[in-house]
Amino acid sequence: MKSITRRTLHTFEVPKDLASVTFRDPDGENPGAAGVSPSSVEAVWRSVEALYRTGVHPGIQLSVRHRGHQVLHRAIGHTRGNGPEDGPDTPKVPMTTDTPICYFSASKAVTGLLMHMLSEQGLVNLMDPVSYYCPEFASHGKRTITVHQILSHRGGIPAIPRETPIDVLWDRDEIWRILCGARPVEVDGAKVAYHAITGGFVLQRVLEKVTGASIEAYIDEHLRKPMGMKWFTYGIAPEHLTELATNYATGPRPVFPVSWVVNRALGGDIKTVEQVTNDPRFQEAVIPAGNLCGTAEEMGRFFQMMLNGGVWNGKRICREITVKRAIQQFGSLQIDRTMMIPMRFSAGLMLGGNPVGLWGPQSRYAFGHIGLINKMCWADPARDISVSLLNTGIPIVGHHLPALARFVYTVCKQFPLIPETQRPLIAI
């Protein structure tokens, strides 16, 4: 029988022996090659175990690279079967480092770089209006909204209309019709308002117009195959649906004003988000701002490529200047009018800050993206690290937040700032 605390906090039953639910890839961890001590590795992992013990993330994956070498590659918990509402007889599927998980909004970092790669190829000028490529987007005063404004969350269309049926998310033509018919809240790009879902569909339309191919084909040709990814696709193929990790609405249910912010940003309450994201129609769809699927290692690989100035395993994925343009701050630190918190954005990524920022203390050079509040994927050239923490809970506020913050702080502490002469060139 559940305890009152578990029912109130919507948590799962945490096993007493964490080793029994821990998966480690020993061949994927080489801290010695990066000069990282075993104590540093274990300190970071203990912070992940502390997060797991909060009971809000039934499954967690972690990949950490330093100086190009993977020093942590582990998983803990279950892919499915140990959620807050699962009974004791529900079959439990262990989480491994190979389990695909939906990145949610961390997908935006990847979609953003794709647009910068289009610019490198001369197919798009990011300062052009979207309507230059897709004239139908110009209606209702959106004629001057640029591709760059969409990338940097200044496009003036942060959300789809509230009365929009959820089925629209997996109907490409209908969502485009709605976005073309939308009236912007502004068009001058002066104010930041996080585009949770809308921006990705606009970028997809531009990409597909100028390439003549689907965004799935483009990412496959220019990122996934060259980098040797197994997953890393928008949505997941029907035959692999059973392998995709289940999402769980955990933690205390948000109340006003947090519930208002959640509905404003995500278009529904957290239980609705759980239902939608576990719906096969969402899982098989192409939602460029929110349903790229893959492992922590694959997202860590992506950010390592960016740290390398666009190179992976000796193969040029994009030019170094393309990476620099993708991570260059655009505008000042501002209160985001969707999330109601101060944010620094580039054209596609969430940036760190000094003396403290999203990616920890002294993280001015760090760049990455959060996925549905809890997934944290970033790179920090000043520490020469790429980090990908994926999880399956969807808690918004609650007792887990200190543990999540301690994880970021522990990573920064165990991988301190390195001399400027030893940093990747993109930090200069």
Side-chain angles (χ1 to χ4, degrees):
M1 183 176 177
K2 289 184 185 178
S3 68
I4 294 176
T5 300
R6 278 192 58 205
R7 288 198 300 269
T8 302
L9 298 179
H10 299 281
T11 57
F12 64 90
E13 185 174 2
V14 179
K16 292 182 180 179
D17 179 16
L18 296 192
S20 67
V21 292
T22 297
F23 182 94
R24 177 183 174 187
D25 173 19
D27 295 331
E29 296 186 354
N30 193 3
V36 178
S37 69
S39 62
S40 290
V41 169
E42 292 310 312
V44 173
W45 184 246
R46 283 195 301 271
S47 72
V48 174
E49 289 180 327
L51 178 61
Y52 179 74
R53 284 193 182 96
T54 64
V56 299
H57 292 302
I60 300 176
Q61 278 182 9
L62 176 69
S63 173
V64 179
R65 285 181 167 86
H66 181 53
R67 300 186 188 275
H69 300 279
Q70 191 166 227
V71 300
L72 262 164
H73 191 210
R74 302 181 190 182
I76 189 169
H78 297 87
T79 298
R80 65 180 59 85
N82 194 30
E85 308 302 327
D86 292 329
D89 297 328
T90 304
K92 293 178 173 60
V93 180
M95 175 70 74
T96 75
T97 53
D98 293 323
T99 302
I101 299 174
C102 182
Y103 297 125
F104 294 118
S105 283
S107 308
K108 293 179 176 64
V110 180
T111 301
L113 186 65
L114 294 185
M115 298 306 295
H116 286 276
M117 291 169 70
L118 284 179
S119 176
E120 174 185 315
Q121 295 161 8
L123 296 175
V124 164
N125 183 332
L126 300 183
M127 303 310 293
D128 282 340
V130 172
S131 61
Y132 181 88
Y133 305 98
C134 305
E136 65 274 23
F137 186 74
S139 65
H140 301 296
K142 300 191 300 298
R143 180 180 57 83
T144 61
I145 295 174
T146 67
V147 178
H148 196 283
Q149 284 173 238
I150 296 292
L151 279 167
S152 55
H153 301 279
R154 295 167 179 268
I157 49 168
I160 57 177
R162 290 189 177 277
E163 66 276 8
T164 304
I166 201 67
D167 295 26
V168 164
L169 290 179
W170 37 85
D171 186 333
R172 296 189 190 203
D173 292 334
E174 181 61 12
I175 190 68
W176 181 241
R177 185 192 68 79
I178 288 173
L179 291 174
C180 288
R183 295 182 182 277
V185 294
E186 62 176 14
V187 297
D188 62 2
K191 298 179 179 66
V192 174
Y194 185 66
H195 290 39
I197 291 292
T198 54
F201 289 120
V202 175
L203 300 175
Q204 173 188 5
R205 207 72 177 194
V206 172
L207 182 150
E208 294 182 346
K209 187 69 173 287
V210 301
T211 64
S214 68
I215 193 170
E216 306 99 286
Y218 189 84
I219 192 174
D220 209 48
E221 178 182 354
H222 295 281
L223 272 182
R224 181 175 169 269
K225 286 183 177 177
M227 295 186 67
M229 310 283 204
K230 177 182 179 180
W231 305 107
F232 226 64
T233 57
Y234 294 109
I236 201 158
E239 62 269 25
H240 294 301
L241 278 177
T242 57
E243 298 176 65
L244 186 65
T246 300
N247 305 302
Y248 292 95
T250 56
R253 294 296 182 254
V255 296
F256 186 84
V258 175
S259 59
W260 177 81
V261 174
V262 171
N263 275 272
R264 180 181 171 89
L266 302 179
D269 62 36
I270 204 63
K271 194 64 181 176
T272 299
V273 172
E274 177 193 65
Q275 293 168 353
V276 170
T277 58
N278 288 323
D279 188 317
R281 293 173 296 175
F282 173 90
Q283 295 169 335
E284 295 177 25
V286 175
I287 303 175
N291 83 335
L292 194 74
C293 297
T295 64
E297 188 279 328
E298 287 179 332
M299 186 60 87
R301 193 187 310 188
F302 169 79
F303 278 109
Q304 184 63 51
M305 177 272 292
M306 294 187 74
L307 276 183
N308 296 344
V311 174
W312 175 254
N313 277 353
K315 185 179 298 183
R316 173 66 63 185
I317 304 300
C318 64
R319 294 169 57 196
E320 184 178 303
I321 189 63
T322 299
V323 175
K324 288 186 174 182
R325 287 169 177 161
I327 65 176
Q328 181 180 358
Q329 178 177 336
F330 183 68
S332 59
L333 178 72
Q334 285 189 25
I335 296 294
D336 184 288
R337 293 181 171 231
T338 299
M339 298 184 288
M340 305 308 292
I341 57 175
M343 292 293 299
R344 288 177 69 226
F345 285 108
S346 71
L349 294 128
M350 295 175 166
L351 306 180
N354 288 349
V356 67
L358 187 60
W359 310 117
Q362 302 300 319
S363 58
R364 172 189 171 192
Y365 293 107
F367 55 90
H369 218 288
I370 285 177
L372 206 53
I373 311 298
N374 295 272
K375 294 172 177 63
M376 306 193 77
C377 307
W378 82 96
D380 190 344
R383 292 177 168 88
D384 205 349
I385 56 172
S386 66
V387 183
S388 181
L389 177 79
L390 304 185
N391 37 55
T392 60
I394 318 174
I396 301 299
V397 294
H399 61 290
H400 73 289
L401 291 177
L404 194 59
R406 280 195 296 271
F407 162 74
V408 176
Y409 174 79
T410 301
V411 170
C412 291
K413 180 180 178 180
Q414 299 303 323
F415 298 93
L417 299 173
I418 61 178
E420 291 188 13
T421 56
Q422 298 178 25
R423 298 176 184 177
L425 289 177
I426 59 168
I428 300 174

